[in-house]
Amino acid sequence: MTLTLEIRPVPGRYIVRASGTIIGETERAVELVEGARPPVIYVPREDVAMALLDPTDRQSTCPHKGEARYYSVVTPEARLENAVWSYERPIAGAEAIAGHLAFYQEKVRVEPR
C-alpha cells in the first residue's frame, strides 16, 4: 500500500504562538495530509521570527518526506525543546514543504486569525 501525501495552500491568515509570544504570522501556509494522520500546517520560514528558533542536534527521517531537522523555540517565558521541524531538502513528491516549518501543537499553536 502506497501512502499519499497531499500538500495544498490554505486560505487565510495564521498566527504562530509559543508561550504567549507571537513568533510568526502568514497568509502563505500550506497543509500537508499524510494518509490518515491529522493535517499539519507548514509556515514559510520567512514568516517566522527565526531569531527565536535555536537549531538542535535532533534529526529524523521520514520515507515520504525525507530528513527533518529540529529547532527549539526560545521566548522570554520558556524554552520549548524540539518544538519545530523542517525538511530542508524534501524528497520527490514533498517539494512544496521546502523552506517551511511545522510545529508540535502541544508546544506551539498555529491558529487561523
Side-chain angles (χ1 to χ4, degrees), residues 95-113:
E95 299 93 346
I97 59 171
H100 288 66
L101 303 167
F103 306 86
Y104 283 109
Q105 285 292 303
E106 63 273 9
K107 296 180 180 186
V108 178
R109 305 297 302 163
V110 179
E111 302 170 332
R113 182 169 186 183

Side-chain angles (χ1 to χ4, degrees), residues 5-82:
L5 289 183
E6 228 184 297
I7 304 170
R8 57 184 171 246
V10 290
R13 179 175 292 278
Y14 282 79
I15 303 293
V16 183
R17 192 182 312 269
S19 296
T21 300
I22 294 176
I23 64 168
E25 188 169 349
T26 190
E27 291 182 352
R28 303 180 303 140
V30 297
E31 179 181 66
L32 181 141
V33 179
E34 185 177 355
R37 293 182 179 183
V40 175
I41 300 294
Y42 281 77
V43 176
R45 67 177 52 238
E46 296 88 6
D47 296 344
V48 174
M50 293 301 291
L52 299 177
L53 302 187
D54 186 19
T56 71
D57 292 335
R58 182 175 178 196
Q59 294 183 345
S60 65
T61 302
C62 171
H64 309 288
K65 296 180 295 273
E67 185 175 297
R69 61 183 292 203
Y70 291 79
Y71 300 86
S72 294
V73 179
V74 182
T75 70
E77 295 80 19
R79 179 181 178 87
L80 306 169
E81 293 294 330
N82 296 309

